[in-house]
Amino acid sequence: MYRRIKLIKGDITKVSTEVIVNAANTSLIGTSGVSSDIHKAGGIVIDQQCMDIRRRLGGCKTGEIVVTDAGNLDARYVIHTVGPVWKGGEKRESELLYNCYTNALKESVRLECKKIAFPNISTGIYGYPKKEAAKIALKATEDFLKENKEIEEVLFVSYDEENYEIYDELLKQQNK
Ligand code: APR
């Protein structure tokens, strides 16, 4: 199973995959962080489709997902998910973060995509402790991959060195 999980350090807008996951906010407006990079690199189609979803559905709830095309990105779709804002750990943050990963993976299967790339959701502006967030991301992914054979590659893309080191260490421990 772990061979299906990969880790790289870099910019998620540069990867070649089928689904790129965006760490969005409930209004689906990408003004900073990874979200801004995805909207800029993907182009106007992503902005337009996000606006359309806002008009129809009012946005996206925390832990849930919405889908747009990937525009100029080297992928078929962008799955936008809203991670929890860290409020100390008593506000269902871990459950909501787990749901982000699980819901994105489920949607990828529904879209008949076998490759997906995740950023480190909630670990930027939303302030989730990075090690705890990484453990949840990996647990959700492993739980999903155990039950689902359709997904062939889950790529974790860490932008900052600290996240990269944390994932690298956790994945090494699991491979022992
Ligand atoms: N590629 C991959 N990862 C990136 C990139 C990038 N181009 N840019 C930033 N990151 C990383 C950050 O280092 C961080 O670890 O993405 C992680 C998540 O950071 P944020 O983008 O701040 O996302 P989050 O903490 O979930 O906060 C969501 O920020 O992006 C906006 O619109 C989004 O308002 C929402 C909020």
Side-chain angles (χ1 to χ4, degrees):
M1 167 178 44
Y2 301 127
R3 268 172 292 152
R4 288 189 275 163
I5 299 178
K6 296 196 172 116
L7 171 67
I8 59 162
K9 185 166 177 290
D11 178 350
I12 201 166
T13 66
K14 305 280 192 270
V15 306
S16 174
T17 184
E18 289 182 282
V19 170
I20 289 180
V21 177
N22 180 22
N25 56 35
T26 52
S27 69
L28 299 173
I29 299 172
T31 50
S32 65
V34 67
S35 187
S36 157
D37 290 353
I38 286 174
H39 278 256
K40 269 190 211 140
I44 190 80
V45 68
I46 298 183
D47 293 337
Q48 285 170 341
Q49 291 183 13
C50 281
M51 285 306 116
D52 185 51
I53 292 165
R54 265 184 65 154
R55 271 194 297 275
R56 287 186 291 112
L57 306 174
C60 180
K61 294 199 178 101
T62 305
E64 297 185 4
I65 57 106
V66 299
V67 184
T68 66
D69 291 335
N72 301 323
L73 297 169
D74 191 5
R76 290 170 60 197
Y77 301 100
V78 174
I79 293 182
H80 306 259
T81 187
V82 182
V85 177
W86 178 254
K87 291 180 180 156
E90 302 295 322
K91 302 282 181 192
R92 296 174 52 234
E93 291 97 326
S94 59
E95 178 192 335
L96 291 165
L97 188 61
Y98 186 98
N99 291 348
C100 289
Y101 287 93
T102 306
N103 286 330
L105 288 161
K106 270 189 204 158
E107 185 66 11
S108 295
V109 172
R110 200 187 68 77
L111 295 166
E112 298 184 347
C113 292
K114 297 178 188 309
K115 292 181 173 191
I116 181 168
F118 284 103
N120 305 136
I121 300 166
S122 283
T123 67
I125 296 166
Y126 282 3
Y128 211 110
K130 289 180 179 177
K131 190 159 187 183
E132 295 315 308
K135 283 182 186 166
I136 291 164
L138 290 174
K139 175 84 170 81
T141 303
E142 285 153 16
D143 288 350
F144 188 87
L145 293 182
K146 262 182 224 156
E147 305 299 327
N148 292 271
K149 303 295 165 214
E150 293 94 336
I151 300 284
E152 289 172 2
E153 180 182 283
V154 179
L155 185 64
F156 286 98
V157 184
S158 290
Y159 196 62
D160 58 279
E161 184 65 29
E162 191 186 350
N163 260 318
Y164 179 81
E165 297 293 338
I166 289 168
Y167 273 81
D168 192 42
E169 190 57 38
L170 290 171
L171 287 168
K172 274 183 192 148
Q173 281 171 17
Q174 282 163 350
N175 284 326
K176 268 183 196 164

